[in-house]
Amino acid sequence: MAHLPPVDTFDYIVFGGTGDLTMRKLLPALYHRYRDGQIPDASRIIGTARSALSRADYQQRATAALHEHVKPEALDEATVQRFVNMVYYVSLNGAEADSDWPTLKTLLDAVPATRIRVYYLATSPSLYGQICENLSREGLVTGQSRVVLEKPIGTDLASAEAINDSVGRHFPENHIFRIDHYLGKETVQNLIALRFANPVFERRWTCDAIEYVQITAAETVGVEGRGAYYDRSGALRDMIQNHLLQVLCLVAMDPPVSLEADSVRNEKLKVLHALKPISADDVAIYTSRGQYMRGTTGDRTVSSYLEDLGEGVTSETETFVALKAEILTWRWGNVPFYLRSGKRMAEKSSEIVIQFKSAPCSIFTNKPEPNRLIIRIQPDEGVMLSVSTKDPTPTDSLALRQADINIEFEKAFNIRYPDAYERLLLDVVRGDPILFIRRDEVAAAWRWIDPIEQGWRENKAPLEPYAAGTWGPEGARNLLSQSGHLWHEDMKK
């Protein structure tokens, strides 16, 4: 791997330090960056949570997490030990004013106040404001402090604004980093390079050449241990409002004047403002929602969503959503954007499909298929372009066959593709907000989502069952078929 410049020495203080996100994502991501020489040895990672643990106890948990979530070939025991020596722990309830703040304050005051401090709030969003108020009251917010907010930012526009107001009373906007790990994925970032560094694409990136766009995030897992959270959220809030709308913005935005953060985010905001509203009365036309039932994944039978929640539980929460979005600009006039996300689906796949228009006429005996660009976000990150070529089978005519130009990034560059959090965690230290969400983006996304939620609450679009291990309810196919379109997996049949 090429030499990566180290960041400045920092303290990373994680509220929710014993949680799944910290153990599964944050600590492994920081370990990888330390292993590659980007984190100075004097930096500290300070976990905080209500659990009464000693520093040694927490270091043992951190070590176990690395061995569970980092591939064996990346684990070097000497490096693991040096990394774990940077790890500290404070038993603290961040939302309570009378918790053990003096211990945290003593730990932080042991180094110069000019050191960068990152407060990562891996807690319930309802606690964000209170944690920030306590940090401020204790004098722990310095000029070099930043705060990271995990999604979801609220459950609707009103609650999102309340959270942003409460955090904004203690941190300036340019020190608030609203994280969306999808924006940290290399393939999502590559959208900017793919479009704006390659005129062959950008000059055809309009309604003149593109018939429709699909953005899919499909999971084979169910709610697992997240049932209590997920049932209050659902697929629309959990995936569409943040992850997939952000991807849509990168696909659809006009060229920014530079790669400066606000220049890029201004263009994304324009896309959100240009989305055609879907009113509560129109949700049956533009959306499909479903909930998984018992089914088969691989060679095993899996339970339904209600069974995963617990015996005797009833719920109208959607585990699948598909919707048709339209962007009211000259670039995208009459081009539908189909967004889809669901649990317990047939395959784990996150991808963007750009379907180009067919040629207006053909000189060939068999009509060529339209070109299709597929950008794979996960797994097997890469880009594939389908083209029509001469069928090499000996015939008397010039027949056509579809072929794929396929680039797998990991093989092409012969490197390990980093996890999204690796880039994002150190971007906060650098103070670079380009891959984070600005407050006005959050508000614009909720303004578009809220009427859909309202229509669903009023049951103006049915909640359809779908078998686990399939591609969702029939309503999702109908959403495309009314325009003569197919989901990507249906094109393969």
Side-chain angles (χ1 to χ4, degrees), residues 17-31:
T18 58
D20 178 70
L21 176 67
T22 302
M23 296 297 165
R24 184 170 48 89
K25 289 293 185 181
L26 304 186
L27 288 175
L30 289 168
Y31 167 79

Side-chain angles (χ1 to χ4, degrees), residues 334-353:
N334 297 319
V335 177
F337 281 70
Y338 300 112
L339 278 59
R340 173 179 60 164
S341 181
K343 291 189 174 296
R344 286 280 186 233
M345 299 186 73
E347 295 176 11
K348 178 180 174 64
S349 174
S350 294
E351 66 179 18
I352 304 159
V353 177

Side-chain angles (χ1 to χ4, degrees), residues 100-126:
D100 192 11
W101 291 98
T103 298
L104 179 61
K105 183 173 176 60
T106 299
L107 189 58
L108 293 177
D109 287 347
V111 300
T114 54
R115 176 178 289 195
I116 294 167
R117 293 179 183 175
V118 178
Y119 296 108
Y120 197 112
L121 308 190
T123 68
S124 167
S126 63

Side-chain angles (χ1 to χ4, degrees), residues 23-200:
M23 296 297 165
R24 184 170 48 89
K25 289 293 185 181
L26 304 186
L27 288 175
L30 289 168
Y31 167 79
H32 276 294
R33 295 300 91 228
Y34 176 75
R35 178 175 176 264
D36 287 338
Q38 283 197 280
I39 297 178
D41 285 309
S43 298
R44 300 184 298 181
I45 302 160
I46 304 169
T48 80
R50 291 177 295 178
S51 303
L53 300 173
S54 68
R55 182 186 178 193
D57 292 336
Y58 191 65
Q59 288 177 323
Q60 287 179 357
R61 290 196 183 191
T63 302
L66 295 180
H67 282 86
E68 181 177 358
H69 300 295
V70 175
K71 291 182 178 180
E73 59 267 26
L75 283 173
D76 171 76
E77 291 306 321
T79 306
V80 169
Q81 187 58 54
R82 291 197 304 273
F83 176 79
V84 170
N85 285 342
M86 301 164 57
V87 174
Y88 295 75
Y89 182 77
V90 177
S91 179
L92 171 72
N93 186 334
E96 293 183 356
D98 60 353
S99 195
D100 192 11
W101 291 98
T103 298
L104 179 61
K105 183 173 176 60
T106 299
L107 189 58
L108 293 177
D109 287 347
V111 300
T114 54
R115 176 178 289 195
I116 294 167
R117 293 179 183 175
V118 178
Y119 296 108
Y120 197 112
L121 308 190
T123 68
S124 167
S126 63
L127 305 180
Y128 291 171
Q130 192 61 54
I131 294 172
C132 291
E133 181 177 331
N134 290 333
L135 288 169
S136 182
R137 189 196 65 255
E138 296 293 330
L140 299 178
V141 180
T142 66
Q144 289 294 327
S145 295
R146 303 95 152 88
V147 63
V148 182
L149 308 182
E150 266 286 345
K151 68 97 177 171
I153 308 295
T155 57
D156 54 20
L157 177 59
S159 59
E161 292 286 69
I163 290 171
N164 283 320
D165 284 343
S166 64
V167 174
R169 281 193 284 271
H170 308 288
F171 289 85
E173 175 64 24
N174 64 343
H175 285 199
I176 301 173
F177 291 76
R178 299 171 188 86
I179 195 167
D180 184 335
H181 73 271
Y182 256 59
L183 294 183
K185 293 180 181 294
E186 285 289 329
T187 317
V188 173
Q189 295 172 49
N190 197 45
L191 272 170
I192 296 175
L194 186 71
R195 288 188 55 191
F196 304 127
N198 296 286
V200 68

Side-chain angles (χ1 to χ4, degrees), residues 209 211-212 353-374 385-391 398-404 484-488 490-493:
E211 185 174 355
Y212 61 87
V353 177
I354 311 294
Q355 183 77 12
F356 292 94
K357 291 182 176 178
S358 300
C361 60
S362 176
I363 61 173
F364 299 95
T365 54
N366 58 321
K367 185 178 179 181
E369 295 289 329
N371 298 125
R372 184 181 307 124
L373 178 67
I374 300 171
L385 178 66
S386 65
V387 297
S388 293
T389 63
K390 178 189 175 297
D391 190 336
L398 190 62
L400 300 175
R401 179 185 289 187
Q402 200 79 353
D404 295 327
H485 300 152
L486 295 170
W487 290 108
H488 181 214
D490 291 329
M491 302 174 194
K492 305 173 188 175
K493 296 177 181 177

Side-chain angles (χ1 to χ4, degrees), residues 191 195 213 215 242-253 268 271-272 275 323 325-327 332 337-339 352 448:
L191 272 170
R195 288 188 55 191
V213 177
I215 303 173
N242 39 75
H243 300 328
L244 267 62
L245 279 185
Q246 283 293 314
V247 174
L248 178 147
C249 288
L250 292 176
V251 172
M253 72 182 189
K268 290 197 294 171
V271 174
L272 293 170
L275 285 170
L323 54 84
E326 298 177 48
I327 301 171
W332 295 114
F337 281 70
Y338 300 112
L339 278 59
I352 304 159
W448 191 71

